[in-house]
Amino acid sequence: MITETVTRRDLLRGNLWRVAEATQPTVSLASPTKRDLLLCVFLRGGADGLNIVVPHGDADYYTARSTIAIPQPGKSNGALDADGYFGFHPALASFERLYKAKLLAAVHACGSPDPTHSHFDAMDYMERGAPGDKRTATGWLGRHLQLTGGANDSPLRAVGMGGQVQMAMRGAKATAMSSIAAFHLREPQTRQQVIAAALRELYGSDNMLNGMATQTFSVLEQINQKMKPDYAPAHGAKYPESQFGRALQQIAQLARGDLGMEVACADIGGWDTHAYQGNQTGRQAQLLTDLGQSLEAFVTDLEDQVDRLTIVIMSEFGRRVHENASGGTDHGHGNCMFVVGGNVKGGKVYGNWPGLHPEQRYGPGDLQVTTDFRNVLSEVVNKRLGNDQNAQLFPNYSPHSLNLLNA
């Protein structure tokens, strides 16, 4: 039997996996063996970038945040200094280590030019790679995967951890899984082939589901052959016992299994901190601890592959500069992004800082966006994934390189 009690429809359309079908022809570009493994991490809910990469050199930051501001470096529970002007939240000691090792770069005052403060719309536009345009039906990663199919026909080429494929991968074949274990058959080894054959016959007779069934069975075969249930992380990596930590450990296991994975997506929610956000401690600090420790464990686990590893961390928008009366922050505009990996020109905060004085803010009191998020994503895809088809990757936009990655 399958690891969860599911109906026929659930098996192929339910929480264990989804398949997003390709809708455009594939063009072969660079050899898949020369591309990085790209991990995209989405902080869902609008993370407060001003308390993540702290502008401790901007006096207006402290004027606007009398209770939730992170103290300056050197003070009790102060920011971890990065470059004399910016620093990391004290819960991100793991990011500081990656930064000092030149494996992590931050980009500040970064985000979407679209002014929406709607979570749904902002996430949708960012994952489509087309701000303000809902006519674009595919995601930026989906378009990349369409254009670079080549010889890699692995059903695990693109993996989304969770109940469904992330919007960013829409338009390409991708597999979503709640866990690797969910793809194993629990029957004894002697009966697994019989059960699998029966399932193939059952679903193969349904023309509508046949293609999806074929994808599922292919994933089952790959995982049953190569994935051990007792995976031990390498190099002493220790993942947090959190949903996000477990997701990254699963992705690392797939990467080590040499199953043709090129792109993976993982989400961490809970960043909509309208109330009781906290400063050095509190709700956001807990999320940052999980994020930082999980990412550091992932990089450590894949240390021997770090030169072929790129991680992008983003959120749909930032938060308002001023804290609100509930000890939190409301939906804003500009934010920070991170890029991590062996070919990142790390140890630097990139971007053009606009300042936080009231006259320098955007709209009702937000951090301005001075770097379009597509500039970051396009450089990752161009330099590390071997795809320079920007006109198709990011419609109606001409990206500008920040020079934060080696080609």
Side-chain angles (χ1 to χ4, degrees), residues 382-403:
N382 294 170
K383 291 185 176 180
R384 302 308 312 155
L385 303 186
N387 185 351
D388 61 0
Q389 306 297 301
N390 286 330
Q392 296 184 63
L393 291 168
F394 302 101
N396 303 312
Y397 185 70
S398 298
H400 305 284
S401 174
L402 300 176
N403 196 30

Side-chain angles (χ1 to χ4, degrees), residues 21-326:
E21 293 290 345
T23 58
Q24 297 182 13
T26 297
V27 179
S28 178
L29 296 179
S31 168
T33 59
K34 295 182 180 180
R35 300 179 197 145
D36 279 13
L37 166 62
L38 173 63
L39 168 63
C40 293
V41 175
F42 208 110
L43 313 181
R44 298 196 184 270
D48 179 24
L50 291 173
N51 271 20
I52 296 175
V53 179
V54 182
H56 62 77
D58 191 325
D60 290 299
Y61 166 75
Y62 292 99
T63 301
R65 298 185 169 202
S66 59
T67 62
I68 68 167
I70 305 301
Q72 292 178 316
K75 296 186 177 180
S76 178
N77 293 313
L80 305 171
D81 188 48
D83 62 3
Y85 193 90
F86 295 103
F88 297 109
H89 188 288
L92 286 176
S94 50
F95 272 31
E96 182 192 32
R97 288 189 287 272
L98 292 171
Y99 181 87
K100 288 183 176 180
K102 309 294 185 182
L103 293 173
L104 179 146
V107 185
H108 221 326
C110 186
S112 171
D114 190 87
T116 184
H117 282 165
S118 160
H119 290 296
F120 179 83
D121 286 343
M123 284 188 285
D124 198 45
Y125 292 149
M126 186 167 277
E127 293 191 273
R128 290 173 194 260
D133 179 10
K134 292 195 175 183
R135 296 171 299 175
T136 300
T138 55
W140 67 276
L141 276 174
R143 294 190 291 276
H144 160 69
L145 291 165
Q146 292 168 9
L147 291 165
T148 57
N152 187 358
D153 59 356
S154 169
L156 291 166
R157 183 182 178 221
V159 174
M161 297 305 299
Q164 59 185 355
V165 171
Q166 284 81 353
M167 172 64 208
M169 292 193 286
R170 183 176 294 177
K173 288 184 178 180
T175 299
M177 60 174 68
S178 55
S179 69
I180 291 173
F183 273 92
H184 283 284
L185 293 173
R186 277 188 176 169
E187 294 294 331
Q189 189 70 32
T190 54
R191 294 191 58 200
Q192 285 189 12
Q193 290 184 348
V194 175
I195 297 297
L199 288 170
R200 287 179 186 278
E201 182 176 355
L202 173 64
Y203 294 107
S205 63
D206 190 322
N207 291 332
M208 181 180 70
L209 298 178
N210 184 45
M212 300 172 73
T214 299
Q215 173 89 354
T216 301
F217 295 133
S218 182
V219 173
L220 277 169
E221 287 178 359
Q222 295 262 13
I223 288 177
N224 278 319
Q225 288 172 8
K226 296 187 177 183
M227 294 289 98
K228 296 180 180 180
D230 55 345
Y231 174 72
H235 311 294
K238 295 182 180 179
Y239 292 90
E241 289 295 325
S242 64
Q243 183 176 354
F244 183 64
R246 289 190 294 271
L248 294 200
Q249 181 171 329
Q250 306 275 317
I251 293 170
Q253 184 177 0
L254 291 170
R256 288 201 165 278
D258 194 24
L259 298 172
M261 183 172 62
E262 294 180 23
V263 172
C265 291
D267 301 334
I268 177 170
W271 300 90
D272 195 17
T273 51
H274 284 283
Y276 309 110
Q277 177 176 311
N279 43 26
Q280 308 96 298
T281 61
R283 181 178 169 192
Q284 188 190 37
Q286 292 170 353
L287 287 167
L288 290 173
T289 299
D290 185 15
L291 173 69
Q293 292 180 356
S294 298
L295 260 296
E296 186 177 40
F298 183 76
V299 173
T300 301
D301 197 355
L302 298 179
E303 180 181 313
D304 51 329
Q305 301 181 29
V306 73
D307 286 341
R308 290 191 56 250
L309 175 66
T310 301
I311 304 166
V312 176
I313 305 167
M314 66 188 85
S315 191
E316 66 264 33
F317 46 59
R319 315 295 294 189
R320 196 69 49 84
V321 176
H322 266 282
E323 64 183 75
N324 61 32
S326 300

